[in-house]
Amino acid sequence: MDIRASAEKTYRSMLQIIPQIIGILLLVSLLLTVIPPEWYGKVFCGHPLADPVAGAALGSIAAGNPVTSYVIGGELLNTGISLTAVTAFIVAWVTVGIIQLPVEMNILGKRFAIARNLCGFILAILIAILTEGTLSLLGGIQ
């Protein structure tokens, strides 16, 4: 594939992504308006284990694609939610899918689908804790 064809393919891909990003920004704005900031304080208490569990639970329910999760994750960080909670949310958002679980069970089998989602949930929490620990060791978090 030559450079011109690659550039055209990239351009078409960007045009397809822009409506999704705009939609997510509008959704996040709506959620930030509708959900009072006190709610975040009730769900995310700053506990090193409870926050990633809550983030992974919310991400498991609200499954989506990685591009949109970064926008939502950035907005959650701006509201003061801990890095572990946001990291767990993003990882679970991409790897766990409670909403599509019935379809996944029909296609891949009940046992496999449940095991895969459970592993994704647990690993989302573990990755979030390890991410914050690694960043604090490297001096990225004060």
Side-chain angles (χ1 to χ4, degrees):
M1 182 179 289
D2 65 341
I3 293 176
R4 184 179 175 103
S6 296
E8 288 176 10
K9 188 174 181 179
T10 302
Y11 176 73
R12 285 192 304 273
S13 296
M14 290 298 290
L15 288 178
Q16 290 176 348
I17 292 173
I18 288 173
Q20 292 178 1
I21 292 174
I22 291 172
I24 289 298
L25 288 173
L26 291 172
L27 179 62
V28 168
S29 298
L30 177 66
L31 288 175
L32 290 175
T33 303
V34 172
I35 298 174
E38 301 84 36
W39 184 83
Y40 297 117
K42 291 178 184 173
V43 174
F44 301 104
C45 57
H47 190 273
L49 187 58
D51 274 4
V53 170
L58 290 174
S60 297
I61 296 167
N65 61 38
V67 173
T68 55
S69 69
Y70 303 140
V71 176
I72 293 173
E75 292 300 319
L76 291 173
L77 284 172
N78 289 339
T79 62
I81 296 174
S82 70
L83 179 63
T84 53
V86 174
T87 304
F89 174 82
I90 289 173
V91 173
W93 170 283
V94 175
T95 60
V96 182
I98 299 300
I99 294 172
Q100 64 261 22
L101 186 59
V103 174
E104 188 176 340
M105 288 190 310
N106 284 338
I107 295 170
L108 301 173
K110 183 178 181 179
R111 185 173 168 200
F112 178 80
I114 291 172
R116 190 198 68 75
N117 279 276
L118 186 60
C119 286
F121 181 80
I122 293 168
L123 287 172
I125 296 167
L126 182 62
I127 288 168
I129 293 169
L130 290 174
T131 298
E132 185 166 5
T134 302
L135 288 174
S136 65
L137 283 175
L138 297 175
I141 296 177
Q142 275 72 25

